[in-house]
Amino acid sequence: ERVRVAPHGGEGKRPVRIFCAVYTMETFHHRLDSIRETWAPKCDGFMAASNKTDATLDAVNIPHFGPETYNAVWMKVRSIWSYIYKTYYDDYDFFYLGGDDYYLIVENLRTYLSSDEIRYAGGGDGWPIPLYLGHRIYELAGQDRWQSNHGGAGYVLNRASLAVLVELAFGLEYCEPYKIRHFEDKKIGGCLRNFTISPHDTKDRRGHDRFHIFAPQQLATENLGNSHKWYVRHAQRGVYEFGQEAASPESISFHYVQPRLMKQIHTALYGMCPEMD
């Protein structure tokens, strides 16, 4: 009940154009139905980057170096961002990418991207300054200069940062064009840091997170299983809030959301639950 859906995004301003994408593979195409039935239609454009094209699911085969496995997701994500840049760069203002198990509250994302905070951080109209938005983590604990955004909750690039990433950063030796890696989010953060692009602080005015790398029930109960110790080591400022009041009312995304839970969250957020006598 704490999280609210913004009624409209950017009242009185030019609507921001948002392209949303998930990366997946044919084995997990069954997850795409719930995405397309819930939050995906609220984006201005949507694509599921896969190893098999299926127009009925908005799935597009994105060839990449290396095998189609989790351990090679860095190669896949490099190809996805390159494809998005070449195909959609001129049509959208912001680009959102994550795995096939995040839930996105598009209205809250649109409102946040339309805010004066983001307009100022992006250098004014058209956001000419590169922006890199999501849930900040440390690659090396305690070292601010190693920050990146966690891939599980998804992250946002504007046109300026997307151009830097694809046109400049991907050519660097650091960005390892032919290395099999699984930590794609850390690599994206490192590639952008080479051009002094760091994650923006996306917490709300009360210091609550908008992007969540856990599911709602995990946030409420702190039942994180094997992920807990890892997260505490890498969390922004080494601290993460849990409990009923942890999530920002302006929350944008949640991670580890499987199809059934995705529909449950959507039903609750949009008032589709039947009234009980």
Side-chain angles (χ1 to χ4, degrees), residues 238-253:
V239 176
Y240 194 78
E241 290 184 283
F242 295 97
Q244 297 289 337
E245 302 299 312
S248 169
E250 303 160 13
S251 288
I252 289 170
S253 66

Side-chain angles (χ1 to χ4, degrees), residues 214 218-224 228 231-232 239-247:
F214 300 115
Q218 293 176 302
L219 291 175
T221 64
E222 199 174 350
N223 182 17
L224 308 182
H228 183 265
Y231 186 75
V232 169
V239 176
Y240 194 78
E241 290 184 283
F242 295 97
Q244 297 289 337
E245 302 299 312

Side-chain angles (χ1 to χ4, degrees), residues 18-22 31-48 57-58 102-107 110 262 266 270:
I18 304 171
F19 185 82
C20 305
V22 301
R31 296 178 178 176
L32 299 179
D33 285 330
S34 60
I35 293 173
R36 294 173 69 253
E37 291 170 6
T38 56
W39 60 263
K42 297 176 180 294
C43 300
D44 299 298
F46 172 76
M47 177 187 76
L57 296 173
D58 298 311
Y102 73 85
Y103 180 86
L104 185 64
I105 306 175
V106 179
E107 293 90 340
R110 195 180 301 278
M262 189 170 293
H266 196 75
Y270 293 91

Side-chain angles (χ1 to χ4, degrees), residues 9-152:
E11 284 293 320
K13 304 174 183 177
R14 180 181 71 79
V16 297
R17 298 166 296 175
I18 304 171
F19 185 82
C20 305
V22 301
Y23 50 83
T24 187
M25 61 181 69
E26 184 181 4
T27 306
F28 299 117
H29 274 192
H30 63 277
R31 296 178 178 176
L32 299 179
D33 285 330
S34 60
I35 293 173
R36 294 173 69 253
E37 291 170 6
T38 56
W39 60 263
K42 297 176 180 294
C43 300
D44 299 298
F46 172 76
M47 177 187 76
S50 182
N51 61 328
K52 182 179 180 179
T53 295
D54 186 338
T56 66
L57 296 173
D58 298 311
V60 179
N61 177 31
I62 306 292
H64 60 87
F65 178 79
E68 188 68 28
T69 64
Y70 174 75
N71 286 334
V73 72
W74 167 232
M75 297 292 95
K76 186 183 185 81
V77 165
R78 282 180 59 102
S79 293
I80 293 169
W81 278 126
S82 296
Y83 178 86
I84 289 173
Y85 175 69
K86 294 174 183 177
T87 309
Y88 298 112
Y89 177 82
D90 291 324
D91 299 326
Y92 301 94
D93 302 306
F94 293 92
F95 306 87
Y96 198 108
L97 179 64
D100 56 12
D101 61 346
Y102 73 85
Y103 180 86
L104 185 64
I105 306 175
V106 179
E107 293 90 340
N108 290 2
L109 173 63
R110 195 180 301 278
T111 296
Y112 183 52
L113 296 178
S114 302
S115 68
D116 290 338
E117 173 193 339
I118 296 304
R119 183 177 180 275
Y120 178 81
D125 293 340
W127 309 275
I129 294 175
L131 292 172
Y132 175 39
L133 312 170
H135 184 102
R136 299 192 298 180
I137 59 171
Y138 293 124
E139 288 190 29
L140 298 177
Q143 298 189 26
D144 232 20
R145 64 189 182 90
W146 293 104
Q147 283 184 343
S148 59
N149 284 319
H150 193 278

Side-chain angles (χ1 to χ4, degrees), residues 137-211:
I137 59 171
Y138 293 124
E139 288 190 29
L140 298 177
Q143 298 189 26
D144 232 20
R145 64 189 182 90
W146 293 104
Q147 283 184 343
S148 59
N149 284 319
H150 193 278
Y155 54 93
V156 185
L157 302 179
N158 66 345
R159 280 199 303 266
S161 57
L162 177 58
V164 169
L165 181 68
V166 176
E167 291 285 356
L168 301 176
F170 278 170
L172 298 177
E173 182 178 353
Y174 173 86
C175 293
E176 300 182 321
Y178 300 107
K179 287 283 187 178
I180 303 300
R181 303 286 192 203
H182 69 273
F183 41 86
E184 59 86 16
D185 45 8
K186 294 182 180 181
K187 294 302 297 181
I188 291 291
C191 291
L192 291 174
R193 275 198 311 276
N194 278 278
F195 296 90
T196 67
I197 301 171
S198 298
H200 182 73
D201 185 355
T202 58
K203 292 177 182 288
D204 69 14
R205 62 187 179 278
R206 293 184 178 86
H208 297 302
D209 284 299
R210 287 184 168 96
F211 297 80

